[in-house]
Amino acid sequence: MLLDAAADLFLHHPYDSVTVGMIASEAGISGPGLYRHFQNKQALLIAVVEEGLQALHQFARATVDSEPDPRTALEALVDFHVRSSLTEPPRSLIFLKNEHAFPESDRRRVRREMNLYAQEWVLIVLQLRPDISEPQVRLLTQAVFSMLNSVATLNKGLDQEEIVATMSTAAIQALTSRQAGWTSP
């Protein structure tokens, strides 16, 4: 509950404008209660981002390890990412918005976790798109992440299953469709 409340606040407000009091109030605890769990607001921000990214990466790793068909694996990754973005604020967006508040060692660790997660996708897409280079696949993957993460703030007026279907279709098309004129150098 505390991490979810903080994640929502850090997604919608700049780090510097989010107070411990705001987080505690949103989580339904006292300000001092927050300090029983985290040393300070910065430690809470780091935990919010790392916890969400680790969950995504663990799912991706388990999917890649257990699913031999790359198309099925990609569909599972997309579905999980979309559903995660709908049910909780995307941790990568929180990180990018608040990166300035991270100490350098934590910033590097989070970036490494984000890269490891992206690499799981890249390895799958490379199997499905042998016609393009790895840098092109990385570009596509990052663009799809941006699109999928946008559902956290742009999902007004549709029910969850409509959003999942729309975004999943768009992501799979973006990652697997061969486009005329776009080939490996």
Side-chain angles (χ1 to χ4, degrees):
M1 179 80 170
L2 178 58
L3 289 176
D4 294 335
D8 191 56
L9 287 168
F10 289 135
L11 177 64
H12 293 100
H13 306 282
Y15 174 80
D16 297 328
S17 71
V18 174
T19 66
V20 169
M22 289 169 66
I23 297 167
S25 176
E26 187 75 21
I29 62 172
S30 68
L34 185 140
Y35 292 111
R36 283 189 219 118
H37 303 283
F38 297 96
Q39 181 180 1
N40 54 35
K41 181 175 75 166
Q42 184 182 56
L44 177 57
L45 172 64
I46 293 166
V48 160
V49 169
E50 286 185 329
E51 180 249 355
L53 289 175
Q54 287 169 357
L56 286 172
H57 185 208
Q58 287 170 357
F59 180 84
R61 180 80 254 149
T63 300
V64 169
D65 287 346
S66 66
E67 180 51 63
D69 178 52
R71 175 75 182 219
T72 302
L74 181 61
E75 289 170 353
L77 292 181
V78 168
D79 184 77
F80 188 78
H81 193 108
V82 173
R83 290 181 189 281
S84 295
S85 294
L86 283 169
T87 57
E88 52 189 55
R91 298 326 203 246
S92 58
L93 285 183
I94 294 169
F95 174 71
L96 294 173
K97 183 176 184 174
N98 300 290
E99 186 174 359
H100 68 281
F102 281 72
E104 185 58 34
S105 61
D106 294 306
R107 184 179 302 129
R108 280 194 308 268
R109 189 176 60 253
V110 168
R111 285 229 173 254
R112 190 171 31 257
E113 186 72 28
M114 289 169 67
N115 288 334
L116 289 170
Y117 176 60
Q119 185 63 19
E120 301 294 349
W121 286 60
V122 167
L123 292 174
I124 290 172
V125 175
L126 280 170
Q127 294 175 61
L128 298 168
R129 294 295 310 275
D131 59 309
I132 61 176
S133 69
E134 185 172 334
Q136 288 170 312
V137 170
R138 286 187 184 289
L139 174 64
L140 280 174
T141 301
Q142 291 302 320
V144 166
F145 287 161
S146 293
M147 178 183 67
L148 296 180
N149 290 339
S150 72
V151 302
T153 56
L154 301 175
N155 64 10
K156 313 293 186 271
L158 297 172
D159 74 22
Q160 184 169 330
E161 291 310 310
E162 286 178 300
I163 294 168
V164 170
T166 300
M167 298 306 283
S168 295
T169 299
I172 296 296
Q173 287 294 321
L175 292 168
T176 62
S177 294
R178 294 188 184 345
Q179 288 118 11
W182 200 43
T183 60
S184 241

